[in-house]
Amino acid sequence: MKNNYKSCLVAAIFLFAVNACTLFKKGISKPVTVSLSDSSFLAEKNAKANYIKYLDLQSPEKLTTAFLKGFKSEAAITKNVSLKFNDENADYILKVKSLVVTESSKIETINDPKSPFNGQQVELNTVESSVTIEIIDTKNKTKKLMDCFNSKQRAEKLKNNRDIGDLITGSNKDNTQYRTKLLSDNICLNLSEDVGRRIWVPITRRIVKALK
């Protein structure tokens, strides 16, 4: 029974995460055309970590492609929105002012008197993708709506729980062995795609407000 409850909870969390963008979008009451003015922009890579682990695994072109994948997929399920490209006659013109993927680092100190690693400093990396989009209302081309912004990040973590190796060897039973939980090699791509989907939340909110 307990396992079934956990399974249901995990499934519910997964479904919420998948549909989060849709849940927080504003409903647009009438059909509008939205045009991305330039789909040939390139993502910017911002290396701030002392030791880069993830950012150099992807090119600006791949990061841009990942963003556009998420952007197009979310547009396709946004009710009453038709997405076009380089169409000056669209109701709203979108321009990506910046798409930045940043890798930074911070120092964390292990605080566990029972561990032989107590007091040891560990450098953990964080990857963040952020996008800023400008919206122009073509009914009045001098009118720019408030810029839309979205970001998402993931960070490495320190962990002391037993892994499969510990279970096989019977080690780390007291959870005093610490290691770094790394991120996926594709984390930069994943986050870029995520913000491509998530940016539709502020976009729809701006459009709804403009239509009033």
Side-chain angles (χ1 to χ4, degrees), residues 65-82:
T65 298
F67 169 82
L68 289 173
K69 179 182 177 182
F71 187 81
K72 292 175 184 177
S73 68
E74 193 66 25
I77 61 172
T78 302
K79 188 177 180 180
N80 284 330
V81 167
S82 296

Side-chain angles (χ1 to χ4, degrees), residues 29-76:
S29 59
K30 64 179 183 179
V32 296
T33 55
V34 175
S35 175
L36 190 64
S37 63
D38 181 12
S39 59
S40 62
F41 67 93
L42 280 181
E44 176 187 346
K45 295 166 62 174
N46 184 18
K48 296 174 64 178
N50 291 322
Y51 174 65
I52 298 298
K53 300 179 184 178
Y54 309 101
L55 199 56
D56 288 344
L57 299 177
Q58 311 299 341
S59 67
E61 290 82 5
K62 286 185 177 180
L63 295 172
T64 302
T65 298
F67 169 82
L68 289 173
K69 179 182 177 182
F71 187 81
K72 292 175 184 177
S73 68
E74 193 66 25

Side-chain angles (χ1 to χ4, degrees), residues 109-113 117-120 178:
T109 303
I110 296 174
N111 182 18
D112 184 353
F117 295 93
N118 185 45
Q120 180 175 317
Y178 285 78

